[in-house]
Amino acid sequence: MFLVLTGAASTAADDDARQQVLVDRAALTLEKFLNDPEMDWLQKNLPYAKGVFIVPTLVKAGFIWGGSGGNGVLLKRDQETNTWSQPGFYGMGSVSFGLQIGGSVAEVVMLIMTRRGMESIYTANVKLGGNASVAAGPVGIGAEGATSITMSADMVSFMRAKGAYAGVSLDGALIKISHNANKAYYGRDVRPVDIFVQRTVGNPGSAKLRDILNQASR
């Protein structure tokens, strides 16, 4: 019995460690985008975002047309306190991301700009461009003069691959909540509403990521 209990505890600890690695890598990815002058629009509009979705590693297979996928974290901003929630864990996949900016691995940061966009991702599965619109974020020179499509979109996405940055539309991408990852990180079964609205769960390992967001939102 002792061996069984010890094994179960070890597995839970390993699962938590894997999710912590994802949170730490999400913090590094976000810092890269916030420190890059090409990401001026993202930096200026983050304080107005309802939420942010960060995928540290998006793997693209095939040439032009191919499968893509990665794991990421979603955080929601409280408009009254201007503070950010604990992370929720999600997976993202798509048949194609259209614009190929080089390489088979990329980083993605997506700002969720509207209440509709934020609430749509509470569901177990959401197809971007369906219940919520998504647009490629403006990058570099001319980013301040963003198009009306970008300004009215529910979500605005950015991608980085091999040091190159680009706004890329994730229209058609599928996002699915990872219940197992959330359970591993918080030690019990949780719903998106528990994480983002009621805020009844917490993990001190997210402090760095949340601090970066809190500082950037001031």
Side-chain angles (χ1 to χ4, degrees):
M1 178 64 71
F2 174 77
L3 292 176
V4 173
L5 292 177
T6 301
S10 177
T11 300
D14 290 343
D15 289 343
D16 176 43
R18 282 194 290 271
Q19 307 318 318
Q20 186 59 55
V21 168
L22 178 59
V23 171
D24 292 340
R25 292 176 60 234
L28 292 174
T29 291
L30 183 61
E31 284 185 317
K32 294 176 186 177
F33 281 78
L34 291 176
N35 291 326
D36 193 280
E38 296 295 301
M39 292 288 108
D40 183 66
W41 193 96
L42 181 151
Q43 295 154 15
K44 289 183 177 179
N45 286 274
L46 178 62
Y48 308 105
K50 308 294 184 185
V52 61
F53 182 52
I54 308 165
V55 181
T57 304
L58 180 71
V59 179
K60 298 182 292 182
F63 179 72
I64 303 301
W65 297 100
S68 305
N71 296 315
V73 294
L74 173 72
L75 297 94
K76 179 180 182 293
R77 184 176 66 86
D78 186 303
Q79 291 180 264
E80 295 184 0
T81 63
N82 200 32
T83 59
W84 291 80
S85 72
Q86 294 283 334
F89 295 84
Y90 287 78
M92 182 170 71
S94 176
V95 293
S96 175
F97 284 96
L99 176 63
Q100 305 293 299
I101 58 175
S104 59
V105 179
E107 298 167 285
V108 172
V109 174
M110 182 169 66
L111 300 188
I112 304 170
M113 304 304 298
T114 68
R115 179 177 178 179
R116 180 176 69 171
M118 192 67 210
E119 290 182 347
S120 72
I121 213 167
Y122 285 173
T123 61
N125 296 282
V126 60
K127 184 176 182 179
L128 301 185
N131 294 332
S133 60
V134 59
V139 176
I141 298 175
E144 291 186 1
T147 67
S148 59
I149 295 177
T150 299
M151 297 302 294
S152 63
D154 295 308
M155 307 176 187
V156 183
S157 56
F158 300 85
M159 181 180 288
R160 174 182 182 271
K162 288 189 174 180
Y165 290 82
V168 56
S169 175
L170 299 180
D171 193 34
L174 300 174
I175 297 180
K176 181 178 181 179
I177 189 168
S178 177
H179 294 288
N180 289 337
N182 284 322
K183 181 178 181 179
Y185 198 63
Y186 295 114
R188 64 179 178 86
D189 289 320
V190 295
R191 303 165 299 166
V193 69
D194 297 323
I195 302 170
F196 306 123
V197 180
Q198 298 177 359
R199 298 196 178 194
T200 56
V201 295
N203 187 316
S206 69
K208 180 179 179 180
L209 174 57
R210 296 170 65 212
D211 184 59
I212 293 171
L213 284 166
N214 288 332
Q215 292 290 334
S217 301
R218 290 181 177 177

